Structure formats: C-alpha cells, structure tokens
C-alpha cells in the first residue's frame, strides 16, 4: 500500500463501539429488502408478467427503467461522494435520500393491473437512485469506522445481514400478505392480511409500502449510534470544494494505476451482476409463468443460500483476500448465467441434457424448473461475496480521509456503464423477440470483468 493510502492509522480508524458498528451493518438489513422484493423477486416480475401487456414488452420496459436509474447514479454519485468528504458528514445526505426512497416506494401501491407503466417505472427510477446514493454515503463510513484487519469480515457480515433482512421481508409477504391468484390464500393457507386481493395485483403492490416502512424503522439505529464524520465546510463551499476534489481525484487516478484498473474491472463485471439481479427473476417469470408465490419461494431459497455464502465469505476474505474471493464469485456467476440461459421447457445445457416435460402439478412441477433453481442457487452463493468483497477491496486500498470521493467513483464504476447490460438485454430481446438471447449478453460482461480483475494488483494501490 502506498504512503497516501497508508494514512489509515489507528488515529484514522479509531476504535468504535460495537453498537456503532452493528448499527452501521444494520443499514444493509434495512436497505436490502428493496432490492430483494421490489427489484428482483416480487415487484419486478409482477411488472414484467402481469402489469405489462406481454413478457417481452415488460422485460424491455423494465430493462430501460433500470438503465435510466443507472445513468443518473453514474453521473451524480462521484460528485456527491466528493461533496460528502468536504462537508464531513454523511447522515444528512442519507436522510434526504431516505425520504425520496420511502415516498416513491409508497406510490408503487397505485401500480394496479391495466394502469400505465410510466408511474411505477418513474418510482422505481427515483427509489433506485435514492437507494444507491444512500449506499455511497454509508459505504464511505467504513474505512473510518472499522479496523483495517476487520474490513472484509464486517463487510461480508453486513451484506449477509442484509440478505437476512430481505429473507424476513420475503417470508412475511408470502406467509401473511400475498395470496395466490388461484385461491387467494397465502402460503400458510390463510386469508391475506388487510384483505389484499391478488387478482388486483395487491399481492405484489403491497411490497412497495412494506419495504418503505421497513427501511424507515431500521435505518434509525444508524442515525442514533453510528458516529458520523466531523463537521466540514458549509454546503455551498463544500459543493465547490467537492467538485475540485473530484477533478483532482480523476487526475490522481492516472498515478494510481492499480486503483484505476480495479475501477474499470469492477465497472464491467458489476454491470453483469446488476443485470443478473434485476433481470434474472423476470426471465424466470416470463419463461415458466411463475407468479408471486413461486417467485417468492425461489427468492427465499436464494437468500438462504446467500446468507450462508456471506458467512463463509466473511472467513474466506480474511484468509484468501478480497481479490481471490471476488474472482471465485465471478466464476460461479458465469457458470450460473450459462446454466439458466441454457434451460428451457424439457431441456437444459442447450439441449445436451433432455428433461422430462411432464408437469407434476406441484410447486416447480417440471424438471426444467428444478434445474433452473439449481443454477439459481449458484447465483445465491456468489452474488453477496462478489459485492461485499469488492467493497472491502477498495476500503483496503484507500485512506479514511479520501473514502467519500473514492467510494463515489466506486459507485460510478458500478453504474457509469450500468445502462449497457440492461440495455443490451432489452435491445437484444426486442430485436430477436427472445428473452433467452437477450439474457446471454450478461455473460460477456461477467467474463470480461473477471479477466480484467485477474491482472489487477491487490490491494489496488500496489504497482
């Protein structure tokens, strides 16, 4: 690690209370259900398969929705990170974006079947942007909050705690809120709470207000117990100073070739990861006709595996290092992506393996659905560690004083071209009228990012 990054001294990373660290980790618990039940497993598939007029149109519209939010985050995140360094404090920024996220999630309740797509699409864009900006500020607290030796462990444990939060929300939706469109009963055979009507899409629409309430409650400990940065410049001066710092940081990256290479590699593979998380569930919903119940149970299986993956990764990161763990995770994701794309009714691995076409009439009743779930579990194992250890990779490569601006560029590297993956999937889907061909674009992003990271130093400040 170079001299600048070496400023991460005991003074730079003061020992914090367990309550402060746990409350910082609890942010992941609060934030993850949005990505779990809104983007991936419940509302996203509802948008594609039940709100839109057909699955291909729905996947394209959803892909472009994710694209717009990615462009906004890519443009603004680095500037906001630099401004945060100048102001010193992160919590006021998180509070503003939390308000935006909560309001837009509440509005998803009005996305009833037959309504226009523009309102839920706009709400998803604003909620995603607010969520991603909040993550920038929360992540940038880590180098100052957590001892360097503990960064990888705490990062993965926080991510695992987030998946546990997503799992709890998903269980609650399926067991008590979401009825089947066929008989109106929940997974427990009960009448849905509040008389929710699945035929009106209320089984999926309720995830918006529920996620908003969950987020509101569980970010409060972070505001109460996690120490913030010291007071810096007033906002107007901080904006000017932050823009200058951002410019200087971008120039400085030319001399920090390892960090620059890490950002480029992460930019590419994170595009594939984002696309897989945003579109993998909608792809299954369109191919197998899965409704909220099937998607929810599929999500539960993935999250259980993901929690275990993060717990194991918290140990592996300390013993193997963040880079090796990210590489192993990317190999798993490439394998899983090939597997789900190659699976269809009656076959897997592009027809090399034929499967019985009969449907038993039970949950996931065809062999193809079971094969899809097996490949999906491989995604569950890897998609937590690939993101948590990427976060710790950077945190080990920068000092606490520069964390805000570098985590802003980190968000940029995860979003600057993030429109390319969903746009590639959406455009290929429309051009070929095949969701399967469209999804194949994700493999390219994952592979190219993997190869670039392979030749990147670790920590990234090494030559």
């Amino acid at each position: 690690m170079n001299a600048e990054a070496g400023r991460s001294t005991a003074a730079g990373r003061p020992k914090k209370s367990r309550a402060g660290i746990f409350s910082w980790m609890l942010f992941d618990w609060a934030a993850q259900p949005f990505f779990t039940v809104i983007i991936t497993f419940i509302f996203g598939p509802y948008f594609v398969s039940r709100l839109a007029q057909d699955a291909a149109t729905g996947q394209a519209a959803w892909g472009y929705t994710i694209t717009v939010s990615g462009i906004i985050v890519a443009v603004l995140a680095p500037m906001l990170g630099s401004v945060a360094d100048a102001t010193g404090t992160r919590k006021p920024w998180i509070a503003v974006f939390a308000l935006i996220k909560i309001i837009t999630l509440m509005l998803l309740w009005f996305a009833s079947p037959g309504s226009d797509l523009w309102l839920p699409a706009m709400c998803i864009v604003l909620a995603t942007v607010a969520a991603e900006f909040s993550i920038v500020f929360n992540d940038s607290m880590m180098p100052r909050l957590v001892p360097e030796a503990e960064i990888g462990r705490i990062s993965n444990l926080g991510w695992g705690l987030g998946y546990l939060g997503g799992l709890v929300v998903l269980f609650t939706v399926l067991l008590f809120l979401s009825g089947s469109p066929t008989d109106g009963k929940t997974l427990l055979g009960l009448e849905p709470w509040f008389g929710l009507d699945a035929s009106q899409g209320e089984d999926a629409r309720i995830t918006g207000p529920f996620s908003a309430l969950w987020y509101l409650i569980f970010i409060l400990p972070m505001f109460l117990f996690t120490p913030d940065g010291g007071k810096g410049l007033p906002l107007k001066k901080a904006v000017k100073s932050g823009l200058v710092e951002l410019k200087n940081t971008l120039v400085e990256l030319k001399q920090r070739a390892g960090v620059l290479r890490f950002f480029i590699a992460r930019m590419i593979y994170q595009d594939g990861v984002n696309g897989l998380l945003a579109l993998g569930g909608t792809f299954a919903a369109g191919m197998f006709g899965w409704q909220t119940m099937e998607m929810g149970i599929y999500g539960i299986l993935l999250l259980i595996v993901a929690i275990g993956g993060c717990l194991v990764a918290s140990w592996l990161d300390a013993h193997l290092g963040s880079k090796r763990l990210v590489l192993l995770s990317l190999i798993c994701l490439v394998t899983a992506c090939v597997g789900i794309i190659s699976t269809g009714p009656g076959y897997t691995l592009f027809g090399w393996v034929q499967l019985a076409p009969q449907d038993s009439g039970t949950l996931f009743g065809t062999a193809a659905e079971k094969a899809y779930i097996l490949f999906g579990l491989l995604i569950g194992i890897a998609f937590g560690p690939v993101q948590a250890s990427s976060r710790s990779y950077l945190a080990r490569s920068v000092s606490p004083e520069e964390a805000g601006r570098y985590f802003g560029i980190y968000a940029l590297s995860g979003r600057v071209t993030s429109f390319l993956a969903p746009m590639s999937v959406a455009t290929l889907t429309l051009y070929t009228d095949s969701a399967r061909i469209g999804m194949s674009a994700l493999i390219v992003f994952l592979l190219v990012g993997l190869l670039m990271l392979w030749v990147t130093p670790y920590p990234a400040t090494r030559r």
Side-chain angles (χ1 to χ4, degrees):
M1 195 175 282
N2 67 11
E4 184 179 6
R7 294 201 306 264
S8 296
T9 61
R13 302 179 194 264
K15 185 176 180 180
K16 304 299 179 184
S17 69
R18 290 184 178 180
I21 294 174
F22 180 75
S23 297
W24 177 84
M25 293 167 60
L26 203 61
F27 177 89
D28 284 330
W29 165 279
Q32 181 59 37
F34 165 72
F35 299 100
T36 300
V37 300
I38 301 296
I39 299 298
T40 305
F41 293 117
I42 304 294
F43 192 86
Y46 164 76
F47 183 100
V48 170
S49 63
R50 297 164 65 189
L51 193 60
Q53 60 184 9
D54 60 77
T57 300
Q59 179 164 298
W62 187 254
Y64 287 126
T65 298
I66 301 301
T67 297
V68 171
S69 62
I71 293 172
I72 295 173
V73 172
V75 171
L76 295 181
M79 181 189 73
L80 289 175
S82 295
V83 172
D85 277 345
T87 59
T89 58
R90 271 67 168 169
K91 291 181 183 179
W93 296 96
I94 296 175
V96 170
F97 292 119
L99 181 62
I100 296 171
K101 181 179 176 180
I102 289 167
I103 291 173
T104 51
L105 287 179
M106 296 291 289
L107 289 175
L108 291 181
W109 173 254
F110 299 102
S112 57
S115 61
D116 292 333
L117 297 180
W118 70 267
L119 175 62
M122 181 185 69
C123 289
I124 290 296
V125 168
L126 291 174
T128 302
V129 168
E132 293 287 352
F133 286 164
S134 298
I135 290 170
V136 169
F137 296 117
N138 184 69
D139 284 354
S140 68
M141 292 181 179
M142 182 167 54
R144 189 179 298 276
L145 181 68
V146 182
E148 185 172 351
E150 292 287 292
I151 282 176
R153 186 177 70 87
I154 295 299
S155 182
N156 274 281
L157 286 177
W159 219 279
L161 187 63
Y163 288 139
L164 181 59
L167 182 63
V168 171
V169 170
L170 198 51
F171 261 123
T172 304
V173 170
L174 291 179
L175 297 179
F176 304 109
L177 297 175
S178 177
S180 168
T182 56
D183 61 10
K185 304 292 186 180
T186 70
L187 192 60
L188 290 178
L190 305 174
E191 293 292 335
W193 286 354
F194 314 116
L196 297 174
D197 185 356
S199 66
Q200 297 301 312
E202 294 177 355
D203 57 324
R205 291 156 52 195
I206 192 61
T207 58
F210 186 33
S211 297
L213 181 61
W214 180 276
Y215 188 62
L216 174 63
I217 293 171
F218 289 110
I219 60 171
L220 292 179
M222 183 272 296
F223 285 105
L224 295 175
F225 301 114
T226 301
D228 204 348
K231 188 71 175 177
L233 298 174
L235 181 59
K236 185 175 180 180
K237 292 182 178 179
V239 171
K240 183 178 180 180
S241 175
L243 290 174
V244 172
E245 279 295 314
L246 175 59
K247 179 182 177 181
N248 292 339
T249 302
L250 293 175
V251 172
E252 179 185 294
L253 274 175
K254 296 178 180 179
Q255 283 75 50
R256 301 178 75 168
V259 177
L260 178 60
R261 195 179 302 165
F262 167 74
F263 281 144
I264 295 173
R266 197 241 175 192
M267 174 184 71
I268 298 170
Y269 71 70
Q270 190 63 41
D271 283 359
V273 173
N274 290 340
L276 193 55
L277 294 180
L279 301 171
T282 62
F283 178 64
M287 180 165 57
F288 297 118
W290 287 354
Q291 300 294 321
T292 298
M293 193 69 68
E294 291 90 345
M295 286 304 308
I297 294 173
Y298 175 61
I300 287 171
L301 293 174
L302 261 63
L303 287 171
I304 291 173
V305 172
I307 293 167
C310 286
L311 290 176
V312 173
S314 69
W315 180 85
L316 288 176
D317 191 289
H319 291 78
L320 298 180
S322 299
K323 177 180 177 177
R324 288 177 180 173
L325 194 53
V326 173
L327 289 172
L328 288 172
S329 299
L330 288 173
I331 291 170
C332 286
L333 290 174
V334 169
T335 304
C337 198
V338 171
I340 65 173
I341 290 170
S342 69
T343 301
Y347 66 90
T348 189
L349 299 180
F350 302 104
W352 292 346
V353 177
Q354 294 295 316
L355 303 171
Q358 292 83 7
D359 189 335
S360 66
T362 59
L363 192 65
F364 309 124
T366 67
E369 290 173 277
K370 293 180 176 66
Y372 191 100
I373 289 172
L374 287 176
F375 289 120
L377 294 180
L378 197 56
I379 298 174
I381 291 172
F383 71 65
V386 75
Q387 297 176 93
S389 288
S390 293
R391 179 168 67 177
S392 59
Y393 196 132
L394 178 63
R396 286 190 171 108
S397 303
V398 299
S399 68
E401 294 78 12
E402 60 190 2
R405 51 196 173 106
Y406 273 98
F407 269 102
I409 298 175
Y410 177 80
L412 171 67
S413 73
R415 286 296 182 180
V416 66
T417 58
S418 64
F419 62 92
L420 285 180
M423 186 173 69
S424 298
V425 172
T427 303
L428 275 175
T429 299
L430 285 179
Y431 182 75
T432 63
D433 198 28
S434 170
R436 190 183 312 281
I437 295 175
M439 287 288 289
S440 66
L442 299 178
I443 298 173
V444 177
F445 289 92
L446 294 170
L447 275 177
V448 173
L450 186 157
L451 294 174
M452 283 210 63
L453 189 69
W454 196 285
V455 295
T456 299
Y458 174 72
T461 45
R462 292 178 181 170
R463 296 294 179 182

